[in-house]
Amino acid sequence: MTDKTNTPISVVGLGLMGTALARAFLKAGHPTTVWNRTAAKADSLVAEGARLAPAIGDALGGVTIVCLTDYSAVRALLGDARLDGTTLVNLTSGDSAQARETAAWAEKQGARYLDGAIMAIPSSIGTDEAVILLSGPAPDFDLGALGTVSHLGEDPGLASLYDVAGLTMMWSVLNAWLQGTAMLKTAGVDAATYAPFARQIAAGVADWLPGYAEQIDQGSFPAEVSALETDARAMTHMVEESEALGVNAELPKLIKAMADRAIAAGHGGEQYPVLIREFERPGE
């Protein structure tokens, strides 16, 4: 691996995130070249020591970070450019199919391609809190200037898949908290009062994940803690309480409907992770 402060880096795309990426490289001592369709967006970075590439072709080569609006924009910008000698690191948001298609395209153009996902906001870039996911060939350079970097494997679609899986976790936890908050507000309990208890519950559930993951990977779901049919009875209370309080019951009804289908399929005596069977089913 080359010295982390000597590796020249190019950053293409200077929105809020691209600018944060370039600034982190500069602060870490990387010789940094930047390019943006609107060149004026590079002014502050140039003042901090970046080199402005006069044309997109001048920004390509070595380790080139791309952070644009979507994969179509990446393809449109780079077009038929030859990318021989370029390690292209695409930190543009998209899905796993787009990532794999772009990897195949980039390799035909001569690039060594890595796909990535930024699990952070611009202000956290350059700190340990910023999580950068990479997939594709193992990197032979260091992106540690950006934050905590994890290489997930050779499949270029993995970073995008992890990104969406992480967002699923985030929104599911937040939606569950909002459901509980709405219910407690009917009794005069404000969100700030409920939040510490909700956090404790979320942390406790997170501790279950390794054991539940083992059951899923083994395909065996013994009811060591509680059977799904017992959980379903508690879900009924959750639905009924929401309706009685005049609170939206769509989320608890969805949870209960999935459990009911699993029980009807004969899984009522198994533990909660057996619901993976419902999540694996294609949508109707």
Side-chain angles (χ1 to χ4, degrees):
M1 184 176 290
T2 54
D3 185 278
K4 67 180 181 180
T5 59
N6 288 338
T7 307
I9 301 286
S10 293
V11 178
V12 173
L14 299 177
L16 291 175
M17 184 60 77
T19 297
L21 299 175
R23 182 162 285 125
F25 286 124
L26 283 169
K27 288 182 178 180
H30 290 272
T32 304
T33 297
V34 295
W35 183 88
N36 192 73
R37 193 178 299 278
T38 303
K41 286 192 174 183
D43 289 348
S44 63
L45 293 168
V46 170
E48 296 170 34
R51 169 185 172 267
L52 175 62
I56 180 60
D58 298 306
L60 303 177
V63 179
T64 300
I65 312 293
V66 180
C67 188
L68 300 178
T69 54
D70 54 37
Y71 283 75
S72 295
V74 173
R75 298 282 293 273
L77 177 65
L78 299 183
D80 295 326
R82 290 301 305 169
L83 299 174
D84 301 277
T86 299
T87 296
L88 190 64
V89 183
N90 187 12
L91 298 182
T92 300
S93 295
D95 61 40
S96 58
Q98 291 173 320
R100 294 179 183 119
E101 290 168 1
T102 304
W105 166 82
E107 288 164 6
K108 287 181 181 178
Q109 305 305 115
R112 187 169 184 268
Y113 180 88
L114 285 91
D115 204 86
I118 303 172
M119 310 297 288
I121 58 176
S123 61
S124 70
I125 296 297
T127 73
D128 290 344
E129 294 179 1
V131 175
I132 312 296
L133 306 177
L134 294 177
S135 55
D140 57 0
F141 52 89
D142 192 346
L143 294 182
L146 302 181
T148 303
V149 180
S150 297
H151 179 248
L152 303 172
E154 296 287 325
D155 176 359
L158 280 175
S160 291
L161 274 176
Y162 266 78
D163 182 21
V164 176
L167 291 174
T168 300
M169 283 290 298
M170 179 184 74
W171 285 323
S172 295
V173 170
L174 287 174
N175 285 340
W177 175 67
L178 291 171
Q179 179 78 30
T181 298
M183 295 171 73
L184 284 167
K185 281 183 68 177
T186 66
V189 179
D190 61 22
T193 300
Y194 172 50
F197 175 76
R199 184 176 183 179
Q200 182 181 15
I201 294 295
V205 172
D207 287 341
W208 301 347
L209 298 184
Y212 279 10
E214 186 175 340
Q215 287 194 345
I216 291 172
D217 290 342
Q218 292 178 351
S220 177
F221 307 94
E224 299 167 347
V225 177
S226 177
L228 182 60
E229 57 192 7
T230 301
D231 294 332
R233 287 194 287 272
M235 293 173 192
T236 298
H237 301 324
M238 185 170 60
V239 172
E240 292 174 347
E241 184 75 76
S242 294
E243 292 177 332
L245 296 173
V247 170
N248 191 311
E250 289 177 82
L251 179 59
K253 283 181 177 179
L254 173 62
I255 297 169
K256 177 68 162 51
M258 295 183 77
D260 286 344
R261 286 198 299 268
I263 292 169
H267 301 296
E270 297 176 89
Q271 195 155 269
Y272 195 85
V274 74
L275 276 180
I276 188 66
R277 302 285 189 247
E278 291 299 311
F279 285 96
E280 291 172 339
R281 294 172 62 235
E284 297 178 358

